[in-house]
Amino acid sequence: LTLFRCLIRPSHAFGWIAPLHAPRRAATHTGMRSAVCTATGPQAGWTPEQRERNDRYASQLTSDSNNGGNRAQQMSANANSGAGLFNFGAPSPSYTDLAGKSRIFLDSAKTDEYVKFLPLGIIYGITTNPSILERDGVACTIQGIQDLAATAFSLGAQEFMAQTWGGDDVDLLTTNGMQIAHIDPRMVVKVPVTAAGLQAAARMRQQGVRICTTAIYAPHQIVSSVALGAEYAAPYLGRISDSGKDGPGQVSAMQKIVDAMKSQTRVLVASVRSADEVGQLAAMGCTTFTLSANIIDSMTAEPLTLEAAGAFEKAASISNEASRPKKIGFLS
């Protein structure tokens, strides 16, 4: 049957008996389209989705040919329109589908670390607190936080977390927190899970401020955070372990509490001491981490991976050298 079709439609099947005025590339792509559509005689056993995908691909090939095959212009148009560089209409998962619930934050007030790590494509946002600001030489003021946030957002950060301050003074905690929130809608205000902190957080929540409860050391504090309606709740993994408790076990229990309560509060694992702990807790169901620059560095410098990457580069260099034309005789 396929041979019969080729005989009665040679220009469509192969492209080499196309009219003389037809572009050579157009004839070739038409042949590709015919081969795709008829080789299985016709599309035997295909699902409707497979047939539809085949038709879309074949139509794209024909369209390329009719338009002179200028794929560079089409790619540029797609990119400028936000359609993506390679947009053939083929089904593919979205970024949200692929990333799932994962979020990684950089725990830093150093703008040079923002410049280094945000372009990696794995950092969702930045977290800070007064201790980090002091360590990194940044004033714990609204202006100091605003300057950091502006840099982070300019480099692609989706969120910036800064902690309010005011001790046991609920009014001061609230006032400072509201000023942080007004810097940008992408700001999240961190509040310690003390009585004053929770009261200030409740006031801010009523105004629509996004809240991260912090300095969490016990599972019951996760219950309080969920009840408050906090968007994030940050347990200190390393410090929990330092206190003699099973840090990973405690944090895993906190994640189970959130899941059991069917809450969308994210357990933001902080005070992480190694990249291995990230993998361990992710396997336990934790999705959200804030990490120091050292931890992120170690996640991008696995020794065996670096060794393999070096071997790939060596092989590519040897292959490229071997493919170069050899000069012979008097030309050498």
Side-chain angles (χ1 to χ4, degrees), residues 170-218:
V170 176
D171 291 336
L172 185 56
L173 284 168
T174 303
T175 298
N176 288 331
M178 292 297 295
Q179 290 186 64
I180 292 171
H182 278 106
I183 291 174
D184 189 280
R186 293 167 288 184
M187 300 295 294
V188 179
V189 179
K190 297 173 70 176
V191 184
V193 282
T194 62
L198 289 173
Q199 187 174 344
R203 290 183 183 179
M204 288 186 280
R205 281 287 295 132
Q206 291 177 350
Q207 301 299 317
V209 175
R210 304 170 65 190
I211 298 295
C212 171
T213 53
T214 191
I216 291 175
Y217 285 85

Side-chain angles (χ1 to χ4, degrees), residues 190-262:
K190 297 173 70 176
V191 184
V193 282
T194 62
L198 289 173
Q199 187 174 344
R203 290 183 183 179
M204 288 186 280
R205 281 287 295 132
Q206 291 177 350
Q207 301 299 317
V209 175
R210 304 170 65 190
I211 298 295
C212 171
T213 53
T214 191
I216 291 175
Y217 285 85
H220 65 79
Q221 293 174 309
I222 291 289
V223 178
S224 300
S225 301
V226 170
L228 175 71
E231 190 168 337
Y232 295 89
Y236 288 174
L237 171 66
R239 296 185 188 181
I240 293 173
S241 296
D242 291 343
S243 71
K245 298 179 182 179
D246 175 10
Q250 290 282 293
V251 172
S252 177
M254 294 175 190
Q255 183 63 55
K256 290 177 181 178
I257 289 171
V258 170
D259 295 341
M261 299 180 79
K262 301 188 184 305

Side-chain angles (χ1 to χ4, degrees), residues 56 79 99 124-125 137 159 163 196 217 222 248 252 281 287 309:
R56 285 202 305 268
Y124 187 81
E159 292 178 359
Q163 187 167 322
Y217 285 85
I222 291 289
S252 177
L281 285 168
T287 64

Side-chain angles (χ1 to χ4, degrees), residues 317-332:
S317 178
I318 294 173
S319 176
N320 289 340
E321 182 65 28
S323 67
R324 291 178 181 174
K326 300 295 188 296
K327 296 180 180 181
I328 58 174
F330 66 89
L331 295 176
S332 59

Side-chain angles (χ1 to χ4, degrees), residues 48-59:
E49 291 79 9
Q50 287 173 319
R51 292 192 184 93
E52 181 182 357
R53 186 181 305 170
N54 175 79
D55 290 343
R56 285 202 305 268
Y57 180 63
S59 296

Side-chain angles (χ1 to χ4, degrees), residues 113 125 138 147 169 277 308:
E113 291 180 349
V138 177
D147 291 343
D169 187 332
E277 288 180 335

